Amino acid sequence: MQEDSPVQNENTPDTAATERPQHPRRRNRLIVLGAAALIALGLGGVVVATAGTDQPAPTAVSLDAQSRNEAANRADRSAREASTPVTPAASPTPSPSVTSASPAPTKTAAAKAKPKPKKTSKPTPAWVDPMPGAEVTSCYGQRWGTLHAGIDLALPSGTPIRAAAAGTVTQAGDAADGYGNSVFIDHGTGYLTHYAHQSRIAVTVGQKVKAGQIIGYEGATGDATGPHLHFEVHQGMWNQIDPAPFMRAHGVDLGC
């Protein structure tokens, strides 16, 4: 037997359709979206609430609007700066008219301090003219019937007389026989030189002398008609020889 179902009047309102409650999850989603929109706009103090019997109590979230604005501005500025291409600064192009000069080489101490050339004196010859520049007034040979055993050299009185070669003074003083003040020098080779008629003697017996060293001064002591040097060469004491060829053999020309 079929039961009779209640008959619904079409004029009767549909209570199931009008009184159906909203679903809790849908309502929560709407609330969350609204809160997110408020956060993006920088609004503070939004209260997010969740409804339903099985959800926790609403929690108040306090947001600092100024801090978030500054953070958003920094994020926006950094995004703009990162997207802007940075053009590298062009290095200055050197002018073609200016050339880079290479540094001048540094002079070393050895190059700066150039050694000064040593002053070298011309070596004195072994034999020299006993009175350079003098006039020859008499040569070796016979004169007035007697042997003139030397060469007479004349310059003004007091002219220095020099040793013809190095040696040792063996006599210095009056030699008698008309020679007046005389100096004898032994040259150690068997030869001696004799310098007569000196006005003043400048050496002593036993003194070592060098070639060209002053041994006295021209005068007219002894038998002399005027100031001059009587110069002799002895091959052994008192064995006079012609001084002219002997001195020429030693590189000195006395003019005879």
Side-chain angles (χ1 to χ4, degrees):
M1 181 173 173
Q2 184 176 1
E3 294 182 358
D4 296 334
S5 58
V7 177
Q8 184 176 2
N9 192 349
E10 59 182 359
N11 295 326
T12 304
D14 190 355
T15 59
T18 57
E19 295 179 3
R20 181 182 300 171
Q22 291 182 347
H23 198 279
R25 291 182 181 179
R26 183 177 180 184
R27 184 166 33 182
N28 289 343
R29 189 161 49 246
L30 292 176
I31 293 172
V32 171
L33 291 175
L38 291 176
I39 292 172
L41 295 176
L43 299 178
V46 177
V47 178
V48 180
T50 58
T53 58
D54 56 348
Q55 299 297 327
T59 303
V61 178
S62 176
L63 300 177
D64 187 352
Q66 182 177 358
S67 299
R68 293 190 174 274
N69 284 335
E70 291 176 357
N73 291 335
R74 285 196 299 269
D76 183 58
R77 184 169 58 253
S78 61
R80 288 197 305 270
E81 291 175 355
S83 61
T84 303
V86 179
T87 304
S91 59
T93 304
S95 175
S97 60
V98 179
T99 57
S100 59
S102 58
T106 303
K107 293 183 178 180
T108 60
K112 289 181 181 178
K114 292 183 179 180
K116 294 182 179 179
K118 295 181 179 180
K119 295 182 179 180
T120 55
S121 57
K122 189 178 180 180
T124 303
W127 290 79
V128 299
D129 190 332
M131 202 160 68
E135 178 186 357
V136 177
T137 58
S138 183
C139 292
Y140 178 90
Q142 293 294 322
R143 187 178 67 177
W144 303 321
T146 58
L147 177 64
H148 183 251
I151 297 176
D152 290 343
L153 304 170
L155 276 174
S157 181
T159 299
I161 299 170
R162 303 177 184 277
T168 303
V169 177
T170 57
Q171 290 188 32
D174 191 351
D177 293 336
Y179 286 108
N181 293 329
S182 297
V183 172
F184 289 81
I185 300 175
D186 186 352
H187 300 290
T189 58
Y191 291 90
L192 295 89
T193 50
H194 177 196
Y195 311 82
H197 304 310
Q198 296 187 34
S199 60
R200 182 163 59 94
I201 295 174
V203 291
T204 58
V205 175
Q207 182 177 341
K208 302 289 185 182
V209 296
K210 298 178 181 179
Q213 181 176 335
I214 296 175
I215 59 174
Y217 300 89
E218 181 189 2
T221 58
D223 294 340
T225 56
H228 68 281
L229 167 64
H230 178 81
F231 176 70
E232 295 181 349
V233 175
H234 295 204
Q235 189 176 4
M237 191 62 178
W238 296 113
N239 183 26
Q240 295 99 325
I241 63 173
D242 188 351
F246 177 86
M247 293 297 287
R248 277 197 298 270
H250 290 84
V252 180
D253 187 359
L254 296 181
C256 288

